Amino acid sequence: MASPPAEQEPNSLASPPIAPPLSRIAAENKEIVAIALPAVASALIDPILSLIDTAWVRAIGSKYALGAVAASTELFTMTFAASLALRESSSSTIARLTAAGRNRDAAQFSRRSVQIGLATGVLGGLLLASPRTAPFCVGLMGAHRGSPLFADALAYARVRALGLPFSLGCSAMEGAFRGLGNTRVALRASIASAFVNLIFDPLFIFAPLNLGVAGAAGATVFAQAVSFGVLASRLAPKLRQMSEEQQ
């Protein structure tokens, strides 16, 4: 009678993981860079606009004007930093919804994020532009009443406050585009904004308008409005398309 076959001992060593092919790794790295680089560049737009303002205000030749812009700029730097929470939450939520195939919900969330950004910008703009609260705000940055920086800092802050709805609305739309995996639109809007500010700053500060420090703020507001228009013109049809996909 034949004896049963001997049982094979289980292999105690697990098979080593198979490394992905180099072509796949290269493609993934290329995709990461294509998304990350435009995102990083567009995130620098607000500091770049402030830097352009500072460069042109320096040409006025007044140390007080330059110091006033530096003091007021800190207010908008803090506001921009606070808006990052809206951008990041918008980005992650929209990415999650689209990955689950809930495009209509993602479109609705994008619209709400932009509305929140605009509403917050209006409230912040009223706070920084109001004759009652604006002096207190610039005083917190060191340009208090009686300081030689006060008049220019107040003028710059009150004018640039008009652009806060555009700035925070742009932040929300950038988050929406990131969630959709498209960072190039935000980069184009940032480049357009920086170019407009660079061109219009001397026109507003010097001839023909001769507005001085307030002109620098006005050019920045105009540049932010251009950026808002570029983003809105690309996002609106995309959200409309996403809403119609599940109807």
Side-chain angles (χ1 to χ4, degrees):
M1 186 172 181
S3 58
E7 295 183 0
Q8 295 181 352
E9 295 183 359
N11 188 4
S12 60
L13 297 177
S15 301
I18 301 175
L22 293 179
S23 58
R24 177 182 165 187
I25 295 176
E28 290 176 350
N29 289 341
K30 184 178 180 180
E31 183 178 357
I32 292 172
V33 171
I35 295 176
L37 284 183
V40 171
S42 61
L44 297 174
I45 184 58
D46 198 75
I48 288 174
L49 294 180
S50 297
L51 182 62
I52 293 173
D53 282 351
T54 301
W56 281 113
V57 168
R58 185 177 182 180
I60 296 177
S62 169
K63 61 181 180 180
Y64 296 131
L66 190 60
V69 170
S72 291
T73 296
E74 290 300 316
L75 292 170
F76 300 96
T77 299
M78 291 189 296
T79 305
F80 176 75
S83 73
L84 296 181
L86 176 63
R87 187 182 69 187
E88 298 306 320
S89 64
S90 177
S91 174
S92 59
T93 302
I94 292 170
R96 175 176 57 83
L97 291 174
T98 53
R102 298 166 57 186
N103 289 344
R104 189 173 185 180
D105 292 338
Q108 292 176 348
F109 187 88
S110 299
R111 295 188 183 96
R112 287 198 298 269
S113 296
V114 175
Q115 291 168 358
I116 291 173
L118 290 173
T120 305
V122 169
L123 292 177
L126 291 174
L127 180 67
L128 294 178
S130 169
R132 293 186 177 182
T133 55
F136 173 76
C137 292
V138 297
L140 291 176
M141 299 297 105
H144 49 79
R145 291 184 184 273
S147 167
L149 307 179
F150 177 75
D152 284 337
L154 184 63
Y156 184 89
R158 295 187 66 185
V159 173
R160 188 165 172 181
L162 301 176
L164 272 181
F166 299 125
S167 178
L168 299 190
C170 285
S171 185
M173 286 190 284
E174 286 177 13
F177 276 115
R178 287 189 184 189
L180 297 173
N182 184 344
T183 56
R184 294 185 178 275
V185 173
L187 177 60
R188 295 191 190 102
S190 299
I191 292 174
S193 179
F195 181 77
V196 168
N197 198 33
L198 184 64
I199 297 300
F200 281 85
D201 249 346
L203 301 179
F204 280 50
I205 296 173
F206 307 108
L209 297 182
N210 295 307
L211 296 177
V213 170
T220 299
V221 171
F222 184 58
Q224 289 172 331
V226 169
S227 180
F228 183 89
V230 172
L231 290 170
S233 66
R234 297 295 301 273
L235 184 61
K238 178 63 177 178
L239 297 183
R240 189 161 49 247
Q241 177 187 357
M242 291 170 62
S243 298
E244 293 171 353
E245 286 179 357
Q246 294 183 338
Q247 289 182 353

